[in-house]
Amino acid sequence: MERQIEDLVANPQKHFDNPQDVLLAGDLADDVKRRILESWKLDAARLAESTAENMAGGEESDLREVSKALTQL
């Protein structure tokens, strides 16, 4: 189970369609959800920074949605 959690934390976008799905995952403890969302937020912040520097391929950042989900948690 710990290995699966680490994969969820390392690759949240691979396992969840959007940040709200993390909140709805009834089989995860709140501390695990927070770790997943914090990881997602870090990825989104990096993407937003790259986009601002014209280094991204046009991907949309999830930063606002992840921050909203963290606030709800």
Side-chain angles (χ1 to χ4, degrees):
M1 180 68 167
E2 185 63 31
R3 181 178 233 171
Q4 181 184 10
I5 290 173
E6 292 308 317
D7 189 42
L8 291 172
V9 171
N11 305 295
Q13 298 93 328
K14 181 174 124 181
H15 300 282
F16 301 98
D17 291 331
N18 60 66
Q20 289 296 317
D21 289 346
V22 177
L23 297 178
L24 298 175
D27 59 333
L28 298 175
D30 284 351
D31 64 317
V32 174
K33 291 178 184 181
R34 184 169 308 283
R35 287 176 53 205
I36 292 168
L37 290 169
E38 289 290 348
S39 173
W40 200 331
K41 183 177 179 179
L42 181 59
D43 291 345
R46 287 178 180 154
L47 178 59
E49 183 178 324
S50 295
T51 299
E53 295 174 358
N54 294 322
M55 295 174 27
E59 305 93 342
E60 186 174 323
S61 169
D62 293 324
L63 188 55
R64 180 176 291 134
E65 289 300 315
V66 175
S67 296
K68 184 176 162 182
L70 275 165
T71 301
Q72 291 174 335
L73 183 62

